[in-house]
Amino acid sequence: MAEAAPQHLSLPSGLLELCALLGAPREGLRGLEQAAQRKGVTRQSPLSPEVLSVFVPPFVSKEESTTATGASCASLGRGRRRSFRKRREKPRAEPGRGPVVEPGAPTEPEDVSIPGGVDLLALPQLCFPGGLCVATEPQEDAVHFLVLTDVGGNRSYGVVAQYYRPLHDEYCFYNGKAHWEPSGPTGGASCFVPFAVCVVSRFPYYNAFKDCLSCLLAHLKLCKDFEVDNHIKDFAARLSLIPGPPPGPLHLVLHAKPLQVVFPARADPDSPVIDLDLHLPLLCFRPEKVLQILTGILTEQRIVFFSSDWALLTLLAECFMVYLHPLQWQHTFVPILSGQMLDFIMAPTSFLMGCHLDHFEEVSKEADGLLLVNIDQGSVTYSGSPGQGTALPDVPLLAAQAFIQRVQGLQLHHELHLAHLASPTDLNAGRACRRSWQQALNCQIQHIALQLLVAIFREVKNHLNYEHRVFNSEEFLKTRAPGDQHFYKQVLDTYMFHSFLKARLSRKMDAFTQLDLSTQSEEDRINGMLASPRRPTVEKMASRRVSPLQAAHRRMVVSMPNLQDITLPELPPRNSSLRIVDSASASCRSGVGTLSVMPKPTYTFKIPEIHFPLVGQCVQAYYADFVALLSKAVSFLAPENSLLSARYFYLRGLVHLMQGQLLSALLDFQNLYKTDIRIFPAELVRGVLESMSAPQRAQAERTPELRRLIGEVLAKPGDGPKADDAVKNFELPRTHLQLDEFVKRVQESGIVKDASVIHRLFEALTVGHQKQIDPDTFRDFYNCWKETEAEAQEVSLPAVVMQHLDKSECVYKLSSAVKTSRGVGKIAMTQKRLFLLTEGRPGYVEISTFRDIEDVRSTTVMFLLLKIPTLKIKTLSRKEVFEANLKTECDLWHLLVKEMWAGKRLADAHKDPQYIQQALTNVLLMDAVVGTLQSPGAIYAASKLAYFDKMKNEVPMAVPKTTAETLKHKINPSAGETSPHAVDVLLYTPGHLDPAEKVEDAHPKLWCALNEGQVIVFDASSWTIHQHCFRVGSAKLNCMVMAEQSQVWIGSDDAVIYIINGHSMSCNKQLTDHRAGVTALVTPEGKEAPSGVFSCSRDGMVLAWDVSTLRVTSRFQLPCGGLTSMRLHGGRLWCCTAGSIMVMTTSGFLQQELRIGENFQEMNTSFLDFELLPEQEQLWVACTGYSEVYIWSLKDLARPPERIPLQDCSEVSCMIRVKRQVWVGGRGLSQGKTKGKIYVLDGEKRTVEKELVAHADAVRTLCSAEDRYVLSGSGPEEGKIAIWTVD
């Protein structure tokens, strides 16, 4: 028997919140009747409309609800806010329809609970915004749309259908009572009375409710007066029993007779419901006008829409709201104002309102400073005095041109799409064809609008400090083109932009971020990885050299776009890749036109019929049918179609709640962890759990699948007060700064993030002074840095010079004009070389690349009686020494060149390009320090920042020969962070595994797990970041494995297995069957797409998973805990615990066991890690705290092991088998210092082949890339990844 749900459980409402019938009051109609009989009366004054009937769920009486739990559940938790219903008079009985009610018999008022966002006093005006006017001729039915907002800012959406009935019609009704008898003879109908049916919902289903109401009106016109209320009540009840569809591809279908009505779901949890035609604004306005309206919304103007069609007011306003998603309008939004509400437009704050075109002249004269949008004429003007229109800025030119070009490429007319198709003979088939076309067009329009937003705001992220939530608006404005400054100054002050900043600083992965990342240029990807100072590359300089024709085009108005000359830069070559970059993938990113965007496939679910009269048994039968249909749909789905399964589980969970079957509902919601965690209703589940009685909770906790769910949901905080997420604007300090505050302020400024570098900067600026920075010094330093940065943006090299440089090179420092041994000119420094810009006729003279420098000295030369400071540079490729009479700049250039030289030597020795980026940062900081201090001690102060030059002098820079030969490349996943993070796990996944992947996404990838659940994905063909950091939980990640369908499984210390979709790079599934930290994930060897995965946790639990269904196929518990690693060999699971290595069958039977106490009686140690070498039939083991590897024969584990000592090793942390080698990572001594080391052992000879000095910190993890490369990750002191070649 179904459980009775507690009364305080708040359940989600259905599609309908309220349905109302509105019309003229009885007294007004009686006067109208008398006036209509007078001869010559052709026009009547408007009547005052009122609410005639209100219908609010639930629609089952209390008596019925005691026998039908579905009805009682539907009313749970709905507080009685305001009640209103007109006192009803019983209809006069007709023959055969029951007893006659005596006139004047008392009737009881009916109370209904009115949703808080609906004002019944204002609703009549909104349902008849032009007034309730009786017509003398039959009128067409009309529909318009409302947006209602409550005091909390929550919106409800209304759809109003108006229809007319003849006044003399015997079926004309008022409030359930038959018409009164006319006093004279009746002829043909001379008046037609309007009535309105209004549906209010928390979902903006404009088209769907329009279709539903159209079907209802067809029935209302045929029914008698006393039947109208029942028809509307049945209509409202049916809609109230339909649950809102969860976000995703599943749309609900209602058979409304004769129409099939579709209720589309939102695309994802962050997207709005879209049930309107997004191309309507493009039919009413030219693209330039659309941009003006979008600008008005972005700058939060006071906007008024006008139209003679009430329906267009709301539809177009809502379209513009969708265009700006994910930005959100946060001010007053009233798309329809009746004539009595026109005083609202005098409000002084930002708003978006709409009114009839008849009021255009009145509004434009009475109110100043309004942006007037005339939908009928397609015009946009300002009210008030001439010249005020100039207050609306222009959208940035290039973004506007691209938008206009893309809009002009759209096919906006469905008739052209139908021209070659046969005429549909089925009404619903034709509607489905139109809906499919509209869905594709909506998708294109959304993408074009999103491209516009990304083009406008893409570079905002370059001026954000995420750690301290600071936006440097002043510096951002300086980077904008002069013609765009007015636009950005107005937008940056809006609430809308402030909320946008909050989302960026929270690293929200919304539609804006996804498009920004997917369209990012290769140069931006590299800069994001290296965190280099912003300077224009040679390629960007070349792009600024436009032809006169192109310059003329750019000066033209926005209506004449010319984007053919604007192309993205080519992908720079990368020599350190594992795979060759596919040329097709490079070309696909260079396009500027409209991207081919196809809507994602959608599916429909037909809602079961509900039978009337609406009694508890009928509702219960409806819910039972609903559950049966959902269960049937789930059973027919293939296991891999988890996206659709999740939607069925979600809906079935809601219906089970309505039935009062709380346990079944929780089991359905638990299934969302394995299908799509994004739509898991955490707050609803929390409410269910908190409302359960003690016996119900005990029963739930006895269910294994729910035990973890209950603990996790109740442990998480609810919707309480959130931490401060305010955005601060960067400001220069006004007080003296100690070290900690100085570090924070420099990070906020965006100059540099690395805390260790800022510490050295603090030392430089306080040399010879008290250890604090005064506000003037900080201001001077900041201005000096920013001025240098701005000057670099203006550097323009002659074409003849750019031919000698790489496209990715930037000029970071330019000297004054000086005399040199190779001519007179300016010395320029890039990240690769020094060269001379000759005076007079511009020319290029190579001085040296940093790699080619042999020595750098600062000396003086005599000229007449003067000693002139001179810089001398000796190179390996030329005999003559380069000399430059730099005079006062000599000492600074001497510091700069030596630092770059040392950085280049380190970068080459360690195969790590980030050393160059760090050297560049040091160089620019030295330059800024000298410019700030301008004192005799400035050079000495700047030398505090010459980090790599000091390292060269104090520590031998030579990397051991074996290490240098084996090391291929290094990358830094912590680039751009304030401090490095430990690399906990690495996983390499080959490219082109799945034909469903895009070409550019099918490259091999390197998955890197950092601390606190952070994951970064690198493109292993270019070592650039493929996916910026995203989180899976907040605990340490222990293991990763590649499963089928491009799934990456990640085991975490929080006992969850997170499943990453390799296509979308999102984590939508979680496996929560473990009760302790997951320590290992194993797949069968030799299978690219394994069908099964084994997982183990620290408590000794081993689970076998079916990859397609994500179900546990078997499980067993080891007799002891401390399970740290696991391998699958020969159909057996080898499990490593602290005290033993056990060989288990996959069903959990112990076959063999190697105990540590039997072999190391004299040692206090435990097993750490192990590897199996099947060819040699050997088991290789590492133990904690010991610098040896132990080898057992698989033939006889009882025999004592062979030991291989690791020279200069202090601890072993990980090991991996590659071909016939075993690579062992750990920590040891090198040149007297502790380093992260890797020992390469020969499996056959059982000797150490190589000893590699890998990292500055211990080696934490190792992984293999196709047995051709080994990748190692280091601890938190360095936090880098090294790529090694395998012999």
Side-chain angles (χ1 to χ4, degrees):
M1 185 175 177
E3 305 157 2
Q7 291 301 307
H8 63 273
L9 173 60
S10 179
L11 297 176
S13 61
L15 294 184
L16 178 132
E17 287 195 323
L18 175 145
C19 185
L21 174 67
L22 304 98
R26 176 183 176 184
E27 294 74 13
L29 287 182
R30 178 177 288 127
L32 190 63
E33 161 70 20
Q34 298 169 353
Q37 296 177 19
R38 300 177 195 151
K39 301 255 177 131
V41 178
T42 59
R43 183 176 180 84
Q44 305 292 336
S45 59
L47 302 175
S48 297
E50 66 177 25
V51 177
L52 303 179
S53 302
V54 178
F55 306 93
V56 177
F59 294 96
V60 180
S61 67
K62 294 180 180 179
E63 292 77 11
E64 294 166 333
S65 67
T66 59
T67 59
T69 58
S72 65
C73 287
S75 64
L76 298 177
R78 297 192 184 161
R80 305 185 65 80
R81 293 164 290 225
R82 289 189 299 119
S83 296
F84 173 88
R85 197 165 189 174
K86 287 183 65 66
R87 184 177 296 274
R88 307 296 300 272
E89 298 177 10
K90 300 291 185 183
R92 185 173 59 186
E94 296 186 2
R97 289 195 176 268
V100 177
V101 178
E102 294 295 331
T107 58
E108 294 295 326
E110 299 181 45
D111 282 347
V112 293
S113 176
I114 305 300
V118 182
D119 183 357
L120 290 183
L121 298 178
L123 190 62
Q125 296 182 39
L126 294 173
C127 291
F128 295 95
L132 194 156
C133 299
V134 177
T136 58
E137 296 179 354
Q139 301 292 313
E140 292 287 338
D141 299 340
V143 177
H144 67 274
F145 311 94
L146 307 174
V147 178
L148 311 172
T149 308
D150 65 14
V151 292
N154 303 303
R155 290 178 184 171
S156 297
Y157 305 89
V159 180
V160 182
Q162 291 184 11
Y163 67 104
Y164 288 76
R165 295 182 66 135
L167 182 61
H168 289 299
D169 190 341
E170 63 171 313
Y171 296 140
C172 188
F173 62 92
Y174 171 78
N175 203 22
K177 182 176 180 179
H179 74 285
W180 52 91
E181 297 295 337
S183 57
T186 59
S190 60
C191 295
F192 295 85
V193 183
F195 294 89
V197 180
C198 175
V199 170
V200 178
S201 171
R202 59 193 178 96
F203 301 99
Y205 284 125
Y206 296 120
N207 288 335
F209 285 135
K210 175 181 176 181
D211 292 342
C212 291
L213 287 170
S214 300
C215 296
L216 174 66
L217 294 188
H219 295 289
L220 292 184
K221 291 178 181 178
L222 301 177
C223 70
K224 295 184 178 181
D225 61 316
F226 57 84
E227 299 174 331
V228 169
D229 271 9
N230 288 334
H231 272 285
I232 297 178
K233 181 178 180 180
D234 289 349
F235 167 82
R238 192 175 186 188
L239 290 179
S240 71
L241 292 175
I242 301 174
L250 184 64
H251 300 177
L252 299 183
V253 177
L254 172 69
H255 184 49
K257 298 177 184 179
L259 301 182
Q260 297 277 4
V261 181
V262 176
F263 294 93
R266 64 184 77 220
D268 56 70
D270 294 324
S271 297
V273 171
I274 298 177
D275 187 33
L276 70 169
D277 302 339
L278 292 183
H279 69 296
L280 289 178
L282 304 179
L283 295 176
C284 298
F285 300 98
R286 291 185 295 115
E288 297 83 0
K289 296 299 181 182
V290 172
L291 286 174
Q292 288 184 353
I293 298 169
L294 289 175
T295 301
I297 298 173
L298 283 173
T299 54
E300 296 183 351
Q301 305 283 325
R302 297 157 65 219
I303 306 170
V304 184
F305 282 71
F306 294 90
S307 177
S308 57
D309 186 338
W310 293 105
L312 287 180
L313 291 172
T314 300
L315 292 179
L316 264 71
E318 286 280 34
C319 284
F320 282 107
M321 296 298 103
V322 174
Y323 288 178
L324 291 177
H325 178 77
L327 279 74
Q328 294 183 339
W329 177 262
Q330 300 183 14
H331 298 277
T332 303
F333 185 70
V334 188
I336 286 184
L337 292 174
S338 66
Q340 295 90 340
M341 299 177 176
L342 284 182
D343 59 316
F344 286 12
I345 64 173
M346 303 305 292
T349 57
S350 301
F351 57 75
L352 193 155
M353 300 184 187
C355 58
H356 199 276
L357 187 61
D358 292 345
H359 304 294
F360 185 88
E361 293 298 328
E362 177 187 353
V363 170
S364 60
K365 291 179 180 178
E366 294 296 327
D368 289 339
L370 301 181
L371 186 66
L372 309 179
V373 180
N374 189 327
I375 296 173
D376 294 8
Q377 295 183 4
S379 65
V380 180
T381 57
Y382 256 97
S383 66
S385 58
Q388 278 190 292
T390 57
L392 191 66
D394 293 328
V395 172
L397 181 59
L398 293 181
Q401 288 177 328
F403 176 83
I404 293 169
Q405 186 185 50
R406 289 164 179 151
V407 168
Q408 290 173 344
L410 290 173
Q411 176 54 265
L412 300 178
H413 301 283
H414 187 229
E415 292 76 9
L416 297 177
H417 174 73
L418 294 177
H420 70 288
L421 300 176
S423 300
T425 56
D426 179 79
L427 171 63
N428 287 311
R431 284 165 49 84
C433 177
R434 163 70 193 220
R435 192 162 49 246
S436 176
W437 174 84
Q438 188 66 58
Q439 182 184 4
L441 181 59
N442 282 359
C443 185
Q444 288 181 298
I445 293 173
Q446 281 183 275
H447 192 75
I448 290 173
L450 190 58
Q451 285 177 310
L452 173 69
L453 294 178
V454 171
I456 293 173
F457 299 117
R458 163 171 268 157
E459 294 185 27
V460 165
K461 64 179 181 290
N462 296 333
H463 302 270
L464 295 176
N465 177 264
Y466 295 91
E467 292 75 20
H468 305 293
R469 301 187 66 83
V470 172
F471 173 56
N472 197 331
S473 58
E474 183 179 341
E475 292 303 323
F476 172 73
L477 285 173
K478 288 180 181 177
T479 63
R480 303 301 89 200
D484 301 336
Q485 294 270 342
H486 185 40
F487 172 86
Y488 283 106
K489 285 179 180 178
Q490 290 199 33
V491 170
L492 263 55
D493 288 335
T494 61
Y495 287 99
M496 182 182 290
F497 181 75
H498 189 74
S499 295
F500 172 78
L501 283 181
K502 285 185 178 181
R504 297 319 105 204
L505 288 167
S506 300
R507 300 184 187 272
K508 188 174 183 179
M509 190 57 66
D510 56 15
F512 180 95
T513 305
Q514 292 173 10
L515 183 61
D516 183 18
L517 291 175
S518 66
T519 57
Q520 201 173 39
S521 68
E522 186 70 8
E523 179 188 345
D524 290 336
R525 286 176 183 267
I526 295 173
N527 287 342
M529 183 179 67
L530 298 176
S532 56
R534 290 188 294 271
R535 295 293 186 271
T537 61
V538 168
E539 185 175 36
K540 284 189 176 179
M541 290 183 197
S543 68
R544 295 197 299 227
R545 293 177 165 275
V546 296
S547 64
L549 177 62
Q550 188 178 351
H553 278 294
R554 289 187 178 181
R555 287 193 297 269
M556 288 184 178
V557 294
V558 173
S559 61
M560 299 184 65
N562 179 30
L563 300 180
Q564 302 302 319
D565 301 319
I566 305 171
T567 57
L568 294 176
E570 297 177 12
L571 299 177
R574 303 283 297 174
N575 297 326
S576 58
S577 63
L578 298 185
R579 294 284 182 87
I580 297 175
V581 178
D582 193 346
S583 60
S585 68
S587 62
C588 73
R589 265 204 190 99
S590 62
V592 182
T594 306
L595 298 177
S596 178
V597 180
M598 295 302 295
K600 296 178 181 178
T602 57
Y603 308 87
T604 57
F605 178 81
K606 188 174 180 180
I607 299 165
E609 292 289 334
I610 182 167
H611 304 286
F612 294 94
L614 193 67
V615 294
Q617 291 81 356
C618 292
V619 173
Q620 190 74 353
Y622 164 77
Y623 287 144
D625 292 343
F626 213 136
V627 169
L629 288 174
L630 289 168
S631 300
K632 184 178 180 181
V634 170
S635 66
F636 285 157
L637 275 182
E640 58 270 12
N641 199 345
S642 59
L643 198 66
L644 201 51
S645 298
R647 275 68 201 169
Y648 291 140
F649 286 132
Y650 182 97
L651 287 172
R652 195 171 69 181
L654 288 183
V655 178
H656 276 143
L657 282 183
M658 298 299 180
Q659 290 179 301
Q661 299 177 2
L662 305 187
L663 194 62
S664 298
L666 290 177
L667 288 170
D668 279 329
F669 293 139
Q670 161 67 19
N671 282 323
L672 297 178
Y673 275 83
K674 296 181 180 180
T675 50
D676 193 347
I677 192 65
R678 294 177 302 170
I679 63 172
F680 180 77
E683 289 304 313
L684 177 60
V685 172
R686 182 197 304 278
V688 172
L689 292 173
E690 292 176 346
S691 68
M692 279 180 154
S693 62
Q696 289 174 324
R697 174 75 69 85
Q699 183 183 1
E701 290 176 345
R702 287 195 299 269
T703 307
E705 296 89 343
L706 297 181
R707 196 176 301 122
R708 171 66 181 267
L709 174 73
I710 293 171
E712 195 168 89
V713 170
L714 294 181
K716 289 183 178 178
D719 290 337
K722 297 182 179 179
D724 182 25
D725 62 349
V727 181
K728 295 182 290 185
N729 199 19
F730 176 73
E731 294 181 352
L732 292 171
R734 299 175 184 174
T735 59
H736 286 68
L737 305 177
Q738 303 298 324
L739 175 59
D740 291 343
E741 185 66 19
F742 178 73
V743 170
K744 178 183 175 182
R745 289 304 187 111
V746 172
Q747 289 173 343
E748 289 179 355
S749 71
I751 293 174
V752 64
K753 290 185 178 180
D754 191 314
S756 60
V757 174
I758 302 175
H759 284 185
R760 294 194 288 271
L761 176 61
F762 184 81
E763 289 296 321
L765 290 174
T766 57
V767 166
H769 298 87
Q770 189 178 357
K771 293 303 179 182
Q772 62 179 13
I773 305 291
D774 63 84
D776 292 339
T777 300
F778 190 97
R779 185 189 64 248
D780 293 343
F781 169 78
Y782 178 82
N783 291 337
C784 185
W785 175 277
K786 292 301 180 181
E787 287 168 7
T788 304
E789 195 174 66
E791 290 169 3
Q793 298 295 328
E794 302 302 321
V795 170
S796 180
L797 298 177
V800 66
V801 174
M802 289 191 287
Q803 293 174 1
H804 295 273
L805 304 176
D806 295 341
K807 290 189 293 185
S808 60
E809 282 189 80
C810 310
V811 175
Y812 286 90
K813 177 69 175 170
L814 203 61
S815 75
S816 304
V818 295
K819 174 184 175 296
T820 74
S821 57
R822 297 180 194 170
V824 177
K826 297 180 179 180
I827 299 175
M829 174 192 292
T830 73
Q831 66 266 49
K832 292 185 178 181
R833 75 189 82 223
L834 297 168
F835 65 90
L836 186 68
L837 274 172
T838 57
E839 290 285 290
R841 184 179 180 183
Y844 171 90
V845 176
E846 178 87 20
I847 298 175
S848 177
T849 61
F850 292 114
R851 176 179 291 149
D852 197 41
I853 292 178
E854 184 178 358
D855 190 23
V856 180
R857 292 185 181 179
S858 175
T859 64
T860 57
V861 296
M862 296 297 298
F863 179 75
L864 299 178
L865 299 177
L866 299 175
K867 289 183 179 181
I868 300 176
T870 301
L871 182 69
K872 293 186 177 182
I873 301 175
K874 185 179 180 181
T875 61
L876 298 171
S877 58
R878 302 181 67 145
K879 291 183 179 181
E880 63 271 18
V881 175
F882 173 80
E883 296 184 7
N885 297 342
L886 282 161
K887 301 178 182 177
T888 57
E889 296 181 78
C890 186
D891 290 338
L892 175 60
W893 272 89
H894 181 232
L895 277 178
L896 305 185
V897 174
K898 285 202 302 179
E899 182 69 5
M900 290 299 296
W901 176 33
K904 182 61 179 175
R905 288 182 63 186
L906 282 168
D908 289 346
H910 294 273
K911 311 292 179 63
D912 186 354
Q914 197 186 19
Y915 280 110
I916 284 292
Q917 308 304 320
Q918 291 173 333
L920 280 170
T921 300
N922 295 341
V923 161
L924 296 175
L925 289 173
M926 286 191 278
D927 187 32
V929 166
V930 172
T932 301
L933 299 181
Q934 294 183 352
S935 64
I939 296 297
Y940 173 73
S943 67
K944 297 288 185 181
L945 291 157
Y947 180 68
F948 294 135
D949 186 44
K950 290 179 183 176
M951 184 187 297
K952 178 190 69 174
N953 296 327
E954 296 172 0
V955 181
M957 296 183 63
V959 174
K961 181 180 179 183
T962 305
T963 301
E965 292 173 348
T966 310
L967 181 61
K968 180 179 178 64
H969 192 59
K970 272 193 177 182
I971 53 179
N972 183 10
S974 300
E977 300 292 331
T978 57
S979 59
H981 302 302
V983 180
D984 291 325
V985 193
L986 292 172
L987 173 69
Y988 171 85
T989 56
H992 303 287
L993 270 183
D994 193 332
E997 283 191 299
K998 302 176 190 175
V999 175
E1000 61 268 26
D1001 289 340
H1003 296 154
K1005 300 179 182 68
L1006 175 63
W1007 301 70
C1008 173
L1010 305 179
N1011 62 339
E1012 297 180 346
Q1014 297 180 81
V1015 178
I1016 293 180
V1017 185
F1018 289 90
D1019 184 335
S1021 66
S1022 59
W1023 300 125
T1024 56
I1025 291 179
H1026 176 82
Q1027 174 66 48
H1028 284 266
C1029 180
F1030 61 92
R1031 285 187 180 274
V1032 285
S1034 57
K1036 180 179 179 291
L1037 304 179
N1038 297 321
C1039 49
M1040 291 195 284
V1041 74
M1042 182 75 172
E1044 68 173 15
Q1045 300 176 346
S1046 293
Q1047 289 182 356
V1048 171
W1049 291 30
I1050 304 178
S1052 172
D1053 251 357
D1054 60 9
V1056 176
I1057 298 174
Y1058 297 92
I1059 299 179
I1060 310 295
N1061 184 306
H1063 301 314
S1064 63
M1065 290 294 161
S1066 58
C1067 176
N1068 301 332
K1069 301 175 185 178
Q1070 297 178 13
L1071 307 180
T1072 58
D1073 295 61
H1074 281 287
R1075 297 295 173 263
V1078 180
T1079 54
L1081 295 165
V1082 178
T1083 58
E1085 292 186 357
K1087 292 187 178 181
E1088 288 189 352
S1091 59
V1093 173
F1094 291 92
S1095 64
C1096 67
S1097 52
R1098 195 166 283 111
D1099 60 354
M1101 176 63 70
V1102 178
L1103 304 180
W1105 299 88
D1106 184 298
V1107 174
S1108 59
T1109 63
L1110 300 182
R1111 297 187 182 276
V1112 177
T1113 56
S1114 65
R1115 69 176 70 212
F1116 62 87
Q1117 175 74 49
L1118 294 182
C1120 59
L1123 183 51
T1124 57
S1125 60
M1126 184 170 62
R1127 304 284 187 274
L1128 181 62
H1129 168 61
R1132 298 288 184 266
L1133 287 170
W1134 292 65
C1135 304
C1136 178
T1137 68
S1140 64
I1141 296 177
M1142 290 173 277
V1143 184
M1144 312 290 293
T1145 65
T1146 54
S1147 54
F1149 294 101
L1150 179 64
Q1151 298 288 301
Q1152 287 180 284
E1153 183 174 8
L1154 176 64
R1155 294 179 180 273
I1156 196 166
E1158 297 173 357
N1159 296 273
F1160 301 94
Q1161 296 179 0
E1162 76 286 359
M1163 295 163 42
N1164 183 20
T1165 185
S1166 59
F1167 289 132
L1168 174 71
D1169 201 359
F1170 73 100
E1171 279 293 343
L1172 292 163
L1173 274 64
E1175 298 84 359
Q1176 287 76 36
E1177 295 186 324
Q1178 294 171 354
L1179 170 65
W1180 292 50
V1181 180
C1183 296
T1184 57
Y1186 287 87
S1187 58
E1188 294 177 314
V1189 174
Y1190 303 91
I1191 306 173
W1192 275 270
S1193 171
L1194 295 182
K1195 297 178 181 178
D1196 186 6
L1197 294 178
R1199 292 174 54 187
E1202 180 180 347
R1203 304 187 180 195
I1204 302 178
L1206 306 178
Q1207 187 178 2
D1208 294 330
C1209 178
S1210 56
E1211 68 171 332
V1212 174
S1213 55
C1214 54
M1215 58 196 308
I1216 188 175
R1217 176 175 62 87
V1218 184
K1219 295 182 179 177
R1220 296 179 183 272
Q1221 297 175 337
V1222 174
W1223 290 53
V1224 180
R1227 189 197 306 266
L1229 291 175
S1230 175
Q1231 298 176 343
K1233 291 197 172 185
T1234 302
K1235 299 284 187 181
K1237 298 184 76 172
I1238 296 175
Y1239 297 87
V1240 182
L1241 282 61
D1242 188 301
E1244 294 179 344
K1245 300 177 182 179
R1246 296 187 289 281
T1247 58
V1248 178
E1249 279 190 344
K1250 295 180 181 179
E1251 181 180 330
L1252 308 176
V1253 182
H1255 298 279
D1257 198 357
V1259 176
R1260 295 280 287 265
T1261 182
L1262 294 167
C1263 86
S1264 170
E1266 303 175 353
D1267 282 348
R1268 297 166 54 208
Y1269 303 92
V1270 169
L1271 301 100
S1272 62
S1274 69
E1277 291 182 17
E1278 183 192 81
K1280 293 184 180 180
I1281 300 169
I1283 298 100
W1284 309 86
T1285 56
V1286 177
D1287 295 337

